[in-house]
Amino acid sequence: GLYKYDNETAVRIPNSSGDTGRSGYSLIWDIVGTQSGSLFYSTDNGLLHLKPDETQAYPVESLQNRVTSMLHITADSMLLVCESFNGFYVIPLANIDEPQDPVQKLTHHLADYQIKDFLIDEDSGNYWVATNKGLLEIEVDENWQQVRIVNAFNRGDGLPSSTIYSVLFDDEKNIWMSTNGGLCRFNPKTKKFKNFVLSDGIQGLEY
């Protein structure tokens, strides 16, 4: 579960569902914070929202009983919520505190993928997405209503594995990826991959 530490004292944060600490809400996969001080965390039972100065968290009703995983907040205040092997949902943070459950505003994309990480390209505005089927480059519209796959790369293109866990840029705008087949460096301009395995000195193949 989620704990708050204050002067070396740990206090468990309950949630309004009556969670006793033994349910799927106790297994937390990711946690993100907003500029307003809210916390969102993903669990095996759905997404939980801890508001500033509140002593308990509240489930986001439209995602209850879903195995939520990686979370990402975009620069335009959209909360991207990944579901296990079912793509991701888009929640406008401006609507998160509405009394009614805004199911109609939950946009769902890339349902055929397990999403592991997002990386925005500030130059193009596109996102690079780490998935269980390789690396995707996606283009999104202003409100995240439409997502278009611009490029898709897998083992056949040079990746050491199609399962990618994390992606980040270096200073030269290469994309580094951790996979279950080693580390990989990708040049988006040349579309060339450089893989690093045990013989290159890395400690293991899965990161």
Side-chain angles (χ1 to χ4, degrees):
L2 183 68
Y3 287 80
K4 179 180 180 181
Y5 286 87
D6 186 13
N7 295 326
E8 300 182 355
T9 300
V11 178
R12 187 177 188 276
I13 303 297
N15 66 68
S16 61
S17 68
D19 172 32
T20 61
R22 294 185 296 274
S23 73
Y25 285 120
S26 297
L27 183 56
I28 297 176
W29 293 104
D30 201 4
I31 182 169
V32 294
T34 68
Q35 291 183 345
S36 64
S38 284
L39 293 179
F40 293 92
Y41 52 106
S42 56
T43 76
D44 274 2
N45 268 13
L47 182 68
L48 287 166
H49 179 197
L50 178 63
K51 302 176 184 179
D53 303 320
E54 291 279 358
T55 58
Q56 66 177 0
Y58 297 85
V60 176
E61 296 294 334
S62 51
L63 291 174
Q64 276 196 294
N65 302 316
R66 297 180 183 272
V67 181
T68 53
S69 53
M70 202 278 296
L71 305 174
H72 178 83
I73 296 178
T74 69
D76 51 355
S77 297
M78 298 292 185
L79 176 62
L80 310 184
V81 182
C82 298
E83 182 181 3
S84 183
F85 294 97
N86 192 26
F88 68 97
Y89 297 88
V90 181
I91 302 179
L93 289 176
N95 299 330
I96 200 70
D97 289 324
E98 291 183 1
Q100 72 278 13
D101 181 25
V103 176
Q104 72 279 7
K105 296 176 182 177
L106 273 189
T107 305
H108 186 206
H109 296 298
L110 302 179
D112 294 332
Y113 294 87
Q114 166 84 321
I115 308 298
K116 293 291 189 179
D117 199 8
F118 290 95
L119 176 67
I120 187 170
D121 185 334
E122 299 288 353
D123 296 332
S124 68
N126 291 349
Y127 280 81
W128 293 93
V129 186
T131 82
N132 64 322
K133 298 180 182 180
L135 178 68
L136 301 180
E137 181 185 8
I138 62 171
E139 180 182 76
V140 302
D141 65 7
E142 183 177 355
N143 297 313
W144 287 81
Q145 294 300 304
Q146 300 292 328
V147 166
R148 183 175 72 90
I149 297 177
V150 178
N151 283 299
F153 303 94
N154 54 40
R155 289 188 66 182
D157 300 299
L159 279 166
S161 168
S162 291
T163 300
I164 303 172
Y165 297 116
S166 186
V167 286
L168 58 82
F169 281 120
D170 65 18
D171 292 339
E172 298 177 353
K173 296 293 285 187
N174 294 304
I175 297 175
W176 287 82
M177 291 167 275
S178 60
T179 79
N180 68 357
L183 295 178
C184 179
R185 184 184 67 208
F186 174 65
N187 186 319
K189 293 182 178 179
T190 64
K191 304 295 191 295
K192 299 295 184 181
F193 294 87
K194 169 62 179 175
N195 299 323
F196 299 86
V197 293
L198 296 177
S199 59
D200 296 301
I202 63 175
Q203 296 179 354
L205 292 179
E206 190 168 4
Y207 293 86

